[in-house]
Amino acid sequence: MPSADECWSFQVDASSAEMLREVLAGAGALVCGRRLFDLTNGWDDNHPIGAPVVVVTHRAPGDAAKWPRTTFVDGVARAREIAGDRHVSIASADIARQALDLGLVDEVCISLVPVLLGNGIPYFADLTDAPHRFDDPTVIQGKGATHLWYRVRR
């Protein structure tokens, strides 16, 4: 399945492809942290989901103009404005945790794959306003991946 950046494609089964198409079509902004932005060189200003990127950071790069589709902010509120009536995706464990604690998250999508990486930053570690409760998931069973969509209870 192609992405918004012709350099990247997703090798997935039909069920996962349908879910990915829905995610890509609804994406209005992607939020990430400075570490991921730096590791990916800002995706060369063309993230595979095709949406503008909002980098939450306390220090924007000196050459920020190099990424015209990227906004550097110190909070996530600007992402909502950029996304308009489309959804905001969060690609950062720490920012996802903070947004959930602040009541800014409406849905959580978890994709389970049969791989254990063994390190990294765990999503939703150190929640300060836990427990958070979700509705029963919508389950999309792919080949090699199970996607769970949870609506956050208010």
Side-chain angles (χ1 to χ4, degrees):
M1 189 185 112
S3 75
D5 181 343
E6 64 188 36
C7 295
W8 300 96
S9 63
F10 302 102
Q11 303 301 315
V12 297
D13 62 275
S15 296
S16 294
E18 182 179 338
M19 188 264 319
L20 279 171
R21 275 193 283 284
E22 181 181 324
V23 168
L24 294 174
L30 175 93
V31 175
C32 72
R34 179 67 190 269
R35 178 183 32 229
L36 181 58
F37 178 82
D38 288 345
L39 284 171
T40 62
N41 190 38
W43 299 275
D44 294 323
D45 208 37
N46 190 23
H47 191 278
I49 69 168
V53 173
V54 177
V55 180
V56 178
T57 181
H58 296 294
R59 55 176 185 81
D63 59 350
K66 177 179 173 183
W67 297 279
R69 292 185 40 142
T70 301
T71 304
F72 298 91
V73 298
D74 62 2
V76 296
R78 181 79 178 103
R80 180 74 268 150
E81 294 171 26
I82 291 169
D85 61 349
R86 300 171 85 189
H87 68 257
V88 174
S89 295
I90 302 173
S92 163
D94 193 50
I95 295 168
R97 176 195 55 81
Q98 292 176 53
L100 188 61
D101 273 341
L102 291 169
L104 301 174
V105 176
D106 295 323
E107 292 180 326
V108 172
C109 177
I110 298 171
S111 295
L112 301 173
V113 295
V115 176
L116 295 174
L117 299 175
N119 61 22
I121 301 170
Y123 273 72
F124 310 118
D126 302 320
L127 289 165
T128 58
D129 199 27
H132 294 282
R133 305 218 186 278
F134 304 142
D135 289 340
D136 288 340
T138 298
V139 179
I140 300 164
Q141 182 62 58
K143 182 178 180 183
T146 302
H147 310 282
L148 305 169
W149 287 81
Y150 294 93
R151 187 110 189 109
V152 176
R153 287 187 188 170
R154 301 276 184 232

